[in-house]
Amino acid sequence: MTSTPAPAPVPAAGPGTGPVTGDALLALAADPASDLVGLLAALCDAESVSGGETALADAIEAVLRAQPHLAVHRDGDCVVARTDLGRSRRVVLAGHIDTVPLADPPNLPTRLVGEGPDAELWGRGTVDMKGGVAVMLALAVELGAPGREPASDLTWVFYDHEEVEAERNGLGRLSRNAPELLHGDLAILGEPTAAGIEGGCNGTMRARVTTRGVAAHSARAWTGVNAIHAAAPVLQRLADYVPREVEVDGLVYRESLNAVLVDGGVAANVIPDRCTVTVNYRFAPSLTVAQAEAHVREVLDGFDVEITDAAGGARPGLDDPLALEFAGAVLAVTGGRPKPKYGWTDVARFAELGIPAVNFGPGDPLLAHKDDERVPVGQLALCRDALRAWLLGPVGPAA
Amino acid sequence: MTSTPAPAPVPAAGPGTGPVTGDALLALAADPASDLVGLLAALCDAESVSGGETALADAIEAVLRAQPHLAVHRDGDCVVARTDLGRSRRVVLAGHIDTVPLADPPNLPTRLVGEGPDAELWGRGTVDMKGGVAVMLALAVELGAPGREPASDLTWVFYDHEEVEAERNGLGRLSRNAPELLHGDLAILGEPTAAGIEGGCNGTMRARVTTRGVAAHSARAWTGVNAIHAAAPVLQRLADYVPREVEVDGLVYRESLNAVLVDGGVAANVIPDRCTVTVNYRFAPSLTVAQAEAHVREVLDGFDVEITDAAGGARPGLDDPLALEFAGAVLAVTGGRPKPKYGWTDVARFAELGIPAVNFGPGDPLLAHKDDERVPVGQLALCRDALRAWLLGPVGPAA
């Protein structure tokens, strides 16, 4: 059921699986002193696997529209809410509201396990990334209200379809439909980082390496040429490959080059005339896609290599003064030092728009998508407090 | 359409595609001076892909039941006809009446291309193996009739489901249901041998070689272990393998050991935790299945090897006096010298029953199952004449 010992069942912390209303969410989000556990449980129990985000997006939209300090825009199941305080700088805070499918048996409704500072909330979405969404939603309600004005203007983005094919990504759609809504001086993506800052992300490239032979009946194997045997040196080169570690803006990115799929042969009595090895290269954000392709072709020189898809990485953005300031605030509150993010995240979309972007949110990123996904509840308030302290601070003078 | 230049269309040599009646077949089979081309065309045009043999089996049964010198037995779509002349020896002559599926576009009805001794009959089944069936059917009608008594008693077996899974094989079914009907001193299987004798057959064994790893997201490849990379030395050993040539009863059998399928990985962003290489070993008939397994395990020592299926080969049987005599008769008529048969054929079933067995029939075995399957018509009468000469000869005294 889970990959760690299953905790004993305890009553669900949230209101139970099912649709959540804007009123219910608002009641949970509106208390600045809350520990956010109830809010997170409500967000998770409102199951929203990619493609099924509408009910949750509706509830979030209702919460945001109830705030006089926010102007709300809806694009599909993406909800954008912006302050307009005339500040000299604008910070974009974004998080996706969809999740990967539930585990089998279902890891919802959420369960609160343990007590006090060691308590953990278990269930789908607690890490990736409704923990970050809970922090964002509470601060969207709080900051901008009378007496709680932030030092920067704020843009909150709650978006859909992050866990599926890139072309369906709600943030990508918004950047095509209404790019002006994403403008800002720094973007913070609420992906899980265990309450530290993870900067940038590796790029990713997939290539297909094909070996060819001549088909023949295996009873007369010598009349054919075996394409699977011809793939042996491809696999050996990948097995021998020593991945690089590349420092970018002070963070060390670890690369990797792996065969992820292999497929060859047509029948158990036919000498195979074709074998395909699918390779995934994760490359440091200092490399362009063209440089990454050149490297793959160099490693696999002599073989038929076809690049099938690629997405450049994002530099950590920690050379940006605003990002450095945020990093300092996080260090002060959570003790988390900036680290590289290895997985590709939507910070790369902001990088493409020329906006420095970092990841910052509660939860261990290694637990994302796992059956035993769970978040230490203490990280929820910690992340909120760090963000709040920095956003309320004297970032820049009013315009 | 075909792998050699397509001949110009010519009128079909046979009666056209469709069901064939026993009366029509009998008329074509009953002329001892026929060149058998019309009979073969009729047999082929009565399409009988495995599972669809019933109509053809009915027609063949009708032909055989019309012969007073034959006792006929039907088992599913297998038809057995036996003489009972009290001879001291019995020769079994067997051929399957099913074919592999038609080519696309269909390679039926048959077409006669060319004239005279160079003419070829094109179409599905002409080689594998209705050519042999035509020879057998004509001789079944002829030999045993008054004044045409053979020197041995004869058992003719026309059977179904040879081109599919072994457990559906009609000869195998008959050997379970009525093994006494298959008893004999020598079996001749009418598989294509280009009118020579091909003795015995290689054995075949399939094994699954599995490498295992630890799954991980490919963004953090170093937390996993790549099972596809672990398969590199498996493929390299197979690529480096030098197959043996083994002499058995005077014939040289060529072995082979090949990867025929490879499959690994679950998704393009996951480090694969499993890779499976399916290996096919074709081994000389002097090896037992256990010896073959030991060899595969020795070559792939250190890897997880699972034997998934195996069938022992059949020695050529050319140390048997009766088989040697038949080989001499064939050499005299067709000029064909005994050769090894590489593909697994049903001679191995006879070998299991303790009956020496050889392959002998018209058609180039390399054209079996091909889209451009075709038989030189001259081989039909040649094979019939060689078989007839030997079967009418003084093999043994009456009991």
Side-chain angles (χ1 to χ4, degrees):
Chain A
M1 179 175 166
T2 62
S3 58
T4 60
V10 296
T17 299
V20 65
T21 65
D23 286 349
L25 270 197
L26 185 53
L28 291 161
D31 174 10
S34 150
D35 64 3
L36 300 180
V37 179
L39 176 59
L40 175 55
L43 289 168
C44 292
D45 293 340
E47 182 187 321
S48 58
V49 175
S50 308
E53 303 96 330
T54 303
L56 183 57
D58 290 347
I60 290 173
E61 181 182 358
V63 169
L64 298 172
R65 288 207 187 271
Q67 312 308 318
H69 62 277
L70 293 174
V72 177
H73 178 96
R74 174 90 178 231
D75 180 285
D77 284 333
C78 175
V79 186
V80 183
R82 295 156 51 95
T83 64
D84 188 9
L85 303 168
R87 299 292 194 261
S88 62
R89 287 181 171 165
R90 179 173 289 277
V91 177
V92 182
L93 301 105
H96 64 85
I97 62 172
D98 61 321
T99 69
V100 294
L102 271 57
D104 180 18
N107 51 352
L108 281 182
T110 50
R111 294 170 304 158
L112 186 64
V113 177
E115 289 180 19
D118 296 333
E120 294 179 320
L121 189 69
W122 288 62
R124 176 61 75 230
T126 51
V127 167
D128 190 8
M129 56 159 280
K130 290 182 177 174
V133 169
V135 169
M136 288 170 53
L137 190 61
L139 288 174
V141 169
E142 178 186 346
L143 300 181
R148 307 294 287 171
E149 283 87 3
S152 307
D153 266 310
L154 306 178
T155 299
W156 305 95
V157 183
F158 300 88
Y159 64 100
D160 56 292
H161 286 101
E162 194 270 350
E163 298 288 8
V164 288
E165 317 86 85
E167 60 266 31
R168 296 168 69 193
N169 184 294
L171 192 63
R173 189 183 64 239
L174 186 69
S175 73
R176 294 188 297 272
N177 291 347
E180 69 282 2
L181 292 180
L182 290 177
H183 286 172
D185 300 291
L186 176 69
I188 298 170
L189 209 62
E191 292 274 2
T193 61
I197 283 183
E198 293 189 359
C201 66
N202 269 334
T204 180
M205 170 172 286
R206 270 181 279 269
R208 199 153 43 207
V209 188
T210 304
T211 54
R212 291 187 173 79
V214 175
H217 197 292
S218 66
R220 292 185 192 79
W222 51 92
T223 65
V225 177
N226 193 313
I228 295 178
H229 295 185
V234 175
L235 301 189
Q236 194 60 53
R237 281 195 210 172
L238 294 170
D240 293 342
Y241 181 80
V242 179
R244 301 182 290 197
E245 298 194 346
V246 182
E247 185 171 325
V248 184
D249 299 347
L251 299 185
V252 176
Y253 286 82
R254 197 163 170 179
E255 296 193 334
S256 63
L257 179 64
N258 275 273
V260 285
L261 297 168
V262 62
D263 181 42
V266 293
N269 62 349
V270 176
I271 298 302
D273 64 350
R274 189 186 179 90
C275 182
T276 304
V277 181
T278 301
V279 169
N280 186 206
Y281 179 36
R282 300 280 177 156
F283 55 96
S286 53
L287 265 64
T288 64
V289 166
Q291 289 170 324
E293 175 174 344
H295 183 65
V296 169
R297 291 191 181 281
E298 183 188 355
V299 171
L300 296 169
D301 185 40
F303 291 97
D304 174 0
V305 174
E306 179 196 1
I307 307 297
T308 54
D309 70 273
R315 298 182 72 99
L318 293 173
D319 50 351
D320 177 78
L322 200 57
L324 278 175
E325 192 187 278
F326 175 51
V330 168
L331 180 61
V333 176
T334 77
R337 294 183 181 281
K339 294 192 292 190
K341 186 82 173 173
Y342 290 114
W344 199 92
T345 78
D346 278 326
V347 299
R349 293 185 195 278
F350 287 105
E352 277 178 19
L353 296 171
I355 304 170
V358 296
N359 299 283
F360 175 70
D364 177 354
L366 292 176
L367 291 176
H369 302 192
K370 295 288 178 67
D371 290 357
D372 55 349
E373 188 179 352
R374 61 195 185 275
V375 67
V377 297
Q379 289 187 9
L380 297 169
L382 201 61
C383 285
R384 176 199 55 197
D385 295 348
L387 264 179
R388 177 200 277 149
W390 181 63
L391 292 172
L392 287 176
V395 170
Chain B
M1 179 175 163
T2 62
S3 58
T4 59
V10 297
T17 299
V20 64
T21 64
D23 285 348
L25 270 196
L26 185 53
L28 291 160
D31 174 10
S34 150
D35 64 3
L36 300 180
V37 179
L39 176 60
L40 175 55
L43 289 169
C44 292
D45 293 340
E47 183 188 321
S48 57
V49 176
S50 309
E53 302 97 329
T54 303
L56 182 55
D58 289 348
I60 290 173
E61 181 182 358
V63 169
L64 298 171
R65 286 204 187 276
Q67 311 309 317
H69 61 277
L70 293 175
V72 177
H73 178 97
R74 174 93 178 230
D75 180 286
D77 285 334
C78 176
V79 186
V80 183
R82 295 155 52 95
T83 64
D84 187 13
L85 303 168
R87 299 290 193 262
S88 63
R89 286 179 171 165
R90 178 173 289 278
V91 176
V92 181
L93 300 105
H96 64 84
I97 62 172
D98 61 322
T99 70
V100 295
L102 270 57
D104 180 18
N107 52 352
L108 282 183
T110 49
R111 295 170 302 158
L112 186 64
V113 177
E115 290 179 18
D118 296 332
E120 293 179 319
L121 188 69
W122 288 62
R124 176 62 75 230
T126 51
V127 168
D128 191 6
M129 57 160 276
K130 291 181 177 175
V133 169
V135 169
M136 287 170 54
L137 190 61
L139 289 175
V141 169
E142 177 186 347
L143 301 180
R148 307 293 289 172
E149 285 87 2
S152 306
D153 265 308
L154 305 178
T155 301
W156 305 96
V157 184
F158 300 88
Y159 64 99
D160 55 293
H161 286 100
E162 194 270 350
E163 297 289 7
V164 289
E165 318 87 84
E167 60 265 32
R168 296 168 67 193
N169 184 293
L171 192 63
R173 189 184 63 241
L174 186 68
S175 73
R176 293 187 298 272
N177 291 348
E180 69 282 1
L181 291 181
L182 290 176
H183 286 170
D185 300 290
L186 175 70
I188 298 170
L189 210 60
E191 293 275 1
T193 61
I197 283 183
E198 293 189 359
C201 65
N202 268 333
T204 181
M205 169 172 286
R206 272 181 277 270
R208 199 152 44 207
V209 188
T210 304
T211 54
R212 291 187 172 77
V214 177
H217 196 292
S218 66
R220 292 185 192 81
W222 51 92
T223 64
V225 177
N226 193 313
I228 295 178
H229 295 186
V234 175
L235 300 189
Q236 194 59 54
R237 281 194 209 172
L238 294 170
D240 293 341
Y241 181 81
V242 178
R244 302 182 289 197
E245 299 194 346
V246 183
E247 185 172 327
V248 184
D249 298 348
L251 300 185
V252 175
Y253 286 82
R254 198 163 169 179
E255 296 193 334
S256 64
L257 179 64
N258 274 273
V260 284
L261 297 168
V262 62
D263 180 42
V266 293
N269 63 350
V270 176
I271 299 302
D273 64 350
R274 189 186 178 89
C275 182
T276 304
V277 181
T278 302
V279 169
N280 186 206
Y281 178 36
R282 300 280 177 155
F283 55 96
S286 53
L287 266 63
T288 64
V289 166
Q291 289 170 325
E293 174 174 346
H295 184 64
V296 170
R297 292 191 180 281
E298 183 187 356
V299 171
L300 296 169
D301 185 39
F303 291 97
D304 175 0
V305 174
E306 179 196 1
I307 307 298
T308 55
D309 69 272
R315 299 183 71 99
L318 293 174
D319 50 352
D320 178 79
L322 200 57
L324 278 176
E325 192 187 279
F326 175 52
V330 168
L331 179 62
V333 176
T334 78
R337 292 184 183 280
K339 293 194 293 190
K341 186 84 172 172
Y342 290 114
W344 198 93
T345 77
D346 278 326
V347 298
R349 294 186 193 277
F350 287 105
E352 276 178 20
L353 296 171
I355 304 171
V358 296
N359 299 281
F360 174 71
D364 178 354
L366 292 176
L367 291 175
H369 302 193
K370 296 287 178 66
D371 290 358
D372 56 349
E373 187 178 353
R374 61 194 185 277
V375 68
V377 297
Q379 288 187 8
L380 297 168
L382 202 60
C383 285
R384 177 199 54 196
D385 295 348
L387 265 178
R388 178 200 277 151
W390 182 63
L391 292 171
L392 287 175
V395 172

